[in-house]
Amino acid sequence: EAGWRPVRATYFNTILLPAVAAVRKLRPHRSYSGRSDAELTPGALNPVLEQPMRLEAALIRRGASLPFGVSIGLRCEPAV
């Protein structure tokens, strides 16, 4: 109805899912604080956390669809 149609969907942040799930399980009060996981993560970890995401991005660019993950990616195009 908004004039877009999905052409590709996949999960991402698959590799980091176990770590994210563990942190959310061990510290559930932070999950409901209204802050994103990115805001709760020390900036010094960014270079380490970036590597799995780069790997997943490369796989997705090559056509892979990841079966589960923390996030969902959706590419749309204008509906004709």
Side-chain angles (χ1 to χ4, degrees):
E1 292 180 27
W4 297 93
R5 69 178 185 91
V7 293
R8 177 92 195 281
T10 184
Y11 287 98
F12 62 100
N13 282 327
T14 301
I15 296 169
L16 297 174
L17 178 61
V20 171
V23 167
R24 288 180 180 176
K25 181 76 170 172
L26 295 172
R27 302 175 88 173
H29 64 282
R30 290 191 178 227
S31 298
Y32 303 106
S33 67
R35 294 174 24 188
S36 76
D37 292 329
E39 292 175 303
L40 299 173
T41 306
L45 288 177
N46 286 347
V48 174
L49 298 175
E50 182 180 328
Q51 296 311 308
M53 294 184 74
R54 285 185 179 276
L55 173 62
E56 290 179 8
L59 292 172
I60 292 167
R61 273 193 303 276
R62 290 181 174 89
S65 290
L66 304 177
F68 54 86
V70 177
S71 305
I72 297 173
L74 181 65
R75 188 179 76 204
C76 297
E77 63 184 29
V80 179

